[in-house]
Amino acid sequence: MDTDTSFLDVWNDVVSVQSAPPSYLVLATALAGLAVVAFTPAWRLARNVVTIAHEGGHALVALLSGRQLSGIRLHSDTSGVTVSRGKPTGIGMVLTVFAGYVAPSLIGFTGAFLLTNGRITALLWMTIVLLALMLVMIRNIYGVLSVVGTGALVFGVSWYTPDEVQAAFAYAFVWFLLFAGVRPVFELQRQRAGGRAPQSDPDQLARLTRTPATLWVGLFLLVNIAALLLGGRWLAF
């Protein structure tokens, strides 16, 4: 796209269907996504994106369940917090707390569905819109920088790069989210086992539902692995 592009041109690009990339690119982006998750130095940086998705999941479900969203904070250690007001118990609170650890995988799963239907540009622009909406609720400087930086990267790719680069970026992004949903669950359980996460999401769910926290950790893992397997199958075949 260039500076003379009209709104109608942008809209036509967003709703148009793009050709599927060659199989070697799908494989290369899968390996790239896996490498970022597996290589710890890269993971430390990329995990900020996972935190954005995690807290965005809490925020979205809080709103959908009728809670009032107060704000979101993202921290440099890749932790985050989403504050909402409403009934402190009940299904709405349970779903809000549950949403965080499955959000990256479910976003990746949705992205895989869009890509297999040729909606590469739509995926990129939906990501930009969601980040813009999330930005309104960010309540700290680091969070603003994280969301703006991620949005600027996606916008730059969608606006200034050719179709082939957009396809590679979109596939790598979705593969990353699918793989990245699994690792934090194992990290969470290690923290819990060491007594370093007494207020973790599964522990909150345990108190809300009077069920074991490990049950919720297992459910996080089950959902995320299922999203990886099915979403990966869509992308690969």
Side-chain angles (χ1 to χ4, degrees), residues 119-128 154 157-158 166 169-170:
R119 304 294 182 174
I120 295 171
T121 305
L123 170 65
L124 296 176
W125 279 87
M126 286 174 63
T127 302
I128 293 168
V154 179
V157 170
S158 66
Q166 292 183 34
F169 179 85

Side-chain angles (χ1 to χ4, degrees), residues 102-118:
V102 299
S105 291
L106 294 182
I107 294 171
F109 180 78
T110 304
F113 176 79
L114 289 171
L115 292 181
T116 56
N117 286 277

Side-chain angles (χ1 to χ4, degrees), residues 48-113:
N48 286 283
V49 176
V50 178
T51 304
I52 291 172
H54 179 114
E55 300 304 330
H58 283 314
L60 177 61
V61 176
L63 291 173
L64 292 177
S65 61
R67 300 180 63 81
Q68 183 177 353
L69 188 61
S70 300
I72 303 168
R73 290 179 175 269
L74 307 173
H75 303 133
S76 58
D77 63 355
T78 70
S79 65
V81 61
T82 298
V83 179
S84 62
R85 289 181 290 178
K87 187 178 178 182
T89 58
I91 186 64
M93 187 64 184
V94 170
L95 291 175
T96 297
V97 177
F98 179 79
Y101 274 98
V102 299
S105 291
L106 294 182
I107 294 171
F109 180 78
T110 304
F113 176 79

Side-chain angles (χ1 to χ4, degrees), residues 7 11 14 32 39 45 65-66 70 83 88 102 109 120 140 147 156 167 174 188 195 197:
F7 174 79
W11 178 251
V14 170
F39 185 52
L45 177 62
S65 61
S70 300
V83 179
V102 299
F109 180 78
I120 295 171
N140 67 323
V147 173
V174 169
L188 167 68

Side-chain angles (χ1 to χ4, degrees), residues 10-217:
V10 174
W11 178 251
N12 287 335
D13 283 336
V14 170
V15 299
S16 64
V17 176
Q18 289 82 39
S19 301
S23 56
Y24 74 82
L25 186 143
V26 177
L27 176 59
T29 54
L31 293 175
L34 179 59
V36 171
V37 174
F39 185 52
T40 298
W43 171 246
R44 290 193 184 114
L45 177 62
R47 203 183 193 287
N48 286 283
V49 176
V50 178
T51 304
I52 291 172
H54 179 114
E55 300 304 330
H58 283 314
L60 177 61
V61 176
L63 291 173
L64 292 177
S65 61
R67 300 180 63 81
Q68 183 177 353
L69 188 61
S70 300
I72 303 168
R73 290 179 175 269
L74 307 173
H75 303 133
S76 58
D77 63 355
T78 70
S79 65
V81 61
T82 298
V83 179
S84 62
R85 289 181 290 178
K87 187 178 178 182
T89 58
I91 186 64
M93 187 64 184
V94 170
L95 291 175
T96 297
V97 177
F98 179 79
Y101 274 98
V102 299
S105 291
L106 294 182
I107 294 171
F109 180 78
T110 304
F113 176 79
L114 289 171
L115 292 181
T116 56
N117 286 277
R119 304 294 182 174
I120 295 171
T121 305
L123 170 65
L124 296 176
W125 279 87
M126 286 174 63
T127 302
I128 293 168
V129 170
L130 291 173
L131 288 170
L133 293 173
M134 186 175 179
L135 182 61
V136 176
M137 299 307 302
I138 299 295
R139 296 292 182 263
N140 67 323
I141 296 298
Y142 186 83
V144 170
L145 293 175
S146 294
V147 173
V148 170
T150 303
L153 174 62
V154 179
F155 175 79
V157 170
S158 66
W159 192 264
Y160 294 110
T161 66
D163 292 345
E164 295 80 4
V165 175
Q166 292 183 34
F169 179 85
Y171 271 79
F173 179 61
V174 169
W175 276 117
F176 166 74
L177 287 174
L178 290 172
F179 287 122
V182 177
R183 179 167 175 170
V185 180
F186 288 102
E187 294 176 340
L188 167 68
Q189 187 55 27
R190 285 198 298 270
Q191 291 175 343
R192 292 188 63 255
R196 301 191 303 275
Q199 300 299 320
S200 69
D201 290 358
D203 289 289
Q204 292 182 55
L205 288 166
R207 290 189 288 270
L208 286 167
T209 62
R210 298 181 182 179
T211 55
T214 51
L215 174 67
W216 294 100
V217 175

